[in-house]
């Protein structure tokens, strides 16, 4: 990735400040955070092994009103806690310049989790949701390019229902996020 976010480093808020400032979905966010468990001791050990890497930074674009943020960011934060990677959250509406650098299929989809070096060079990006869930939205957008089509809203509603189904019941999706983050961090 050629993007550079050095102008944003140290301009976000700490994860706890984000949680404390939530005006929507805070209880759900906290309960998902409390439900987190490591899929395996090997996964936990991998994330803990990154604690020696002082060359990485994490920037997360998020907002408390977004269901994917409330579902996914507790997992990201719990996994990153082991790494000790400095992590900042940027509320989307307050950082549209950053958001617009990291669009998903041309749209403002959150969360966006960026890993950068200390110079702000973006090394990797994750989000807005696990790949198998995102695949539903990709298929929807490919099949429904015209936002003004009469069936667009109905098809969008069906796609969102399918995305919830893909997340599944319980916390199984959390292991998928841990796996995807581990693969991403292994590559940088």
């Amino acid at each position: 990735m050629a993007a550079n976010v050095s102008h944003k480093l140290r301009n976000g808020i700490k994860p706890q400040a984000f949680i404390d400032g939530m005006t929507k979905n805070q209880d759900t966010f906290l309960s998902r955070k409390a439900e987190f468990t490591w899929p395996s001791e090997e996964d936990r050990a991998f994330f803990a092994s990154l604690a020696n890497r002082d060359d990485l930074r994490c920037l997360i674009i998020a907002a408390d009103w977004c269901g994917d943020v409330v579902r996914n960011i507790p997992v990201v934060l719990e996994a990153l806690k082991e790494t000790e990677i400095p992590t900042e959250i940027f509320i989307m509406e307050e950082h549209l310049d950053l958001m617009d650098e990291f669009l998903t299929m041309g749209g403002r989809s959150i969360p966006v989790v960026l890993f950068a070096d200390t110079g702000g060079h973006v090394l990797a990006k994750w989000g807005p949701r696990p790949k198998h869930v995102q695949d539903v939205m990709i298929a929807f957008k490919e099949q429904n390019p015209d936002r003004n089509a009469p069936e667009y809203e109905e098809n969008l509603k069906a796609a969102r229902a399918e995305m919830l189904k893909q997340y599944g019941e319980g916390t199984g999706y959390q292991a998928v996020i841990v796996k995807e983050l581990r693969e991403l961090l292994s590559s940088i």
Side-chain angles (χ1 to χ4, degrees), residues 36 38 47-48 74-83 178 181:
F36 178 81
W38 286 101
F47 282 84
V75 180
V76 172
L77 293 178
E78 287 300 300
L80 289 180
K81 196 186 298 181
E82 289 287 326
T83 70
V178 169
L181 289 174

Side-chain angles (χ1 to χ4, degrees), residues 44-111:
R44 193 205 61 71
F46 168 80
F47 282 84
S49 76
L50 297 175
N52 300 321
R53 299 263 322 249
D54 61 359
D55 60 326
L56 295 176
R57 302 294 179 266
C58 180
L59 296 81
I60 301 171
I61 307 168
D64 63 1
W65 52 262
C66 176
D68 288 307
V69 167
V70 172
R71 184 179 299 271
N72 300 332
I73 292 305
V75 180
V76 172
L77 293 178
E78 287 300 300
L80 289 180
K81 196 186 298 181
E82 289 287 326
T83 70
E84 299 177 21
I85 294 171
T87 301
E88 302 177 76
I89 297 182
F90 296 82
I91 297 172
M92 184 185 77
E93 292 83 358
E94 296 172 12
H95 296 275
L96 291 175
D97 59 327
L98 181 62
M99 177 76 257
D100 289 345
E101 286 183 58
F102 298 97
L103 300 176
T104 301
M105 298 179 67
R108 291 177 174 164
S109 297
I110 52 176

Side-chain angles (χ1 to χ4, degrees), residues 101-168:
E101 286 183 58
F102 298 97
L103 300 176
T104 301
M105 298 179 67
R108 291 177 174 164
S109 297
I110 52 176
V112 174
V113 178
L114 304 169
F115 293 97
D117 62 19
T118 54
H121 298 94
V122 176
L123 306 171
K125 173 189 170 206
W126 183 89
R129 51 190 71 93
K131 183 187 178 314
H132 75 285
V133 179
Q134 181 63 12
D135 286 346
V136 175
M137 183 54 71
I138 291 169
F140 164 78
K141 291 207 173 193
E142 288 171 353
Q143 295 162 11
N144 298 276
D146 181 4
R147 291 178 150 249
N148 297 318
E151 68 280 357
Y152 184 87
E153 287 301 321
E154 186 176 323
N155 292 347
L156 178 59
K157 186 177 178 183
R160 286 182 174 150
E162 180 59 27
M163 288 166 57
L164 282 175
K165 186 175 167 191
Q166 290 299 316
Y167 270 118

Side-chain angles (χ1 to χ4, degrees), residues 18-66:
F18 173 76
I19 295 166
D20 292 345
M22 292 179 83
T23 60
K24 296 181 178 85
N25 301 312
Q26 187 183 53
D27 290 344
T28 304
F29 189 98
L30 291 171
S31 98
R32 294 198 190 262
K33 196 169 180 296
E35 293 168 352
F36 178 81
T37 57
W38 286 101
S40 70
E41 180 55 31
E42 184 183 305
D43 285 322
R44 193 205 61 71
F46 168 80
F47 282 84
S49 76
L50 297 175
N52 300 321
R53 299 263 322 249
D54 61 359
D55 60 326
L56 295 176
R57 302 294 179 266
C58 180
L59 296 81
I60 301 171
I61 307 168
D64 63 1
W65 52 262
C66 176

Side-chain angles (χ1 to χ4, degrees), residues 164-176:
L164 282 175
K165 186 175 167 191
Q166 290 299 316
Y167 270 118
E169 297 291 325
T171 59
Y173 76 95
Q174 293 184 348
V176 175

